[in-house]
Amino acid sequence: MAVLGASAAAVQAGCELGNAVVVMNEDWAEGMGSSVRTGVEALGEADGCVVMTCDMPAVTAMHLRALMDSGEVMASSYAGRRGVPAYFPVAVFPSLMELRGDSGARELLRSALCVELTDGELDIDTVEDVARARPLFGEPG
């Protein structure tokens, strides 16, 4: 599932979303909490969910599976902190539905177990970020 907000039309036009279910977050201006709520609400019946952003090139399928393996709240750790991608079992969904503002699920992850994500602090926001990321993945800068 992909939760889209402010630039939804541009994302849909410029990105291959494959078979992803696209959900629109009309309250995107409120912050990340509203995107998490929108996604959880759209899940229906599920054992849990992974919350992640789309601009973290170091994330792999193996990393996501490792997050889900325990069935408990599990965060990624990088650059001395905990964050997303993170796994949340269904028992935590009520807490996810209470999120407000732009802090996301930070408080829920404060005491979570972690899986190390090498280069997880790298996110892609600019053309310069893309150039910095390429050498990490065997591509010329």
Side-chain angles (χ1 to χ4, degrees):
M1 175 182 311
V3 178
L4 303 180
S7 302
V11 170
Q12 287 179 302
C15 297
E16 175 55 50
L17 298 175
N19 294 327
V21 173
V22 176
V23 179
M24 303 305 293
N25 175 13
E26 301 300 332
D27 296 325
W28 59 267
E30 178 193 316
M32 193 180 308
S34 67
S35 291
V36 173
R37 290 193 321 268
T38 299
V40 170
E41 189 171 63
L43 280 175
E45 292 199 26
D47 293 334
C49 69
V50 173
V51 174
M52 60 186 289
T53 61
C54 64
D55 61 352
M56 298 177 71
V59 177
T60 64
M62 183 184 305
H63 181 76
L64 297 176
R65 280 191 293 275
L67 289 172
M68 296 183 288
D69 278 347
S70 77
E72 301 295 323
V73 175
M74 186 74 67
S76 297
S77 62
Y78 44 86
R81 65 178 191 252
R82 296 181 164 125
V84 296
Y87 174 77
F88 299 94
V90 68
V92 182
F93 284 11
S95 295
L96 292 175
M97 292 302 294
E98 293 176 10
L99 296 177
R100 299 289 182 269
D102 207 31
S103 64
R106 188 174 300 137
E107 287 303 314
L108 297 174
L109 299 177
R110 196 168 300 281
S111 61
L113 297 173
C114 296
V115 176
E116 181 67 30
L117 177 58
T118 303
D119 297 317
E121 67 278 5
L122 178 63
D123 66 4
I124 305 296
D125 294 322
T126 66
V127 172
E128 292 79 18
D129 292 340
V130 172
R132 276 195 302 276
R134 284 194 166 140
L136 294 173
F137 303 100
E139 298 179 27

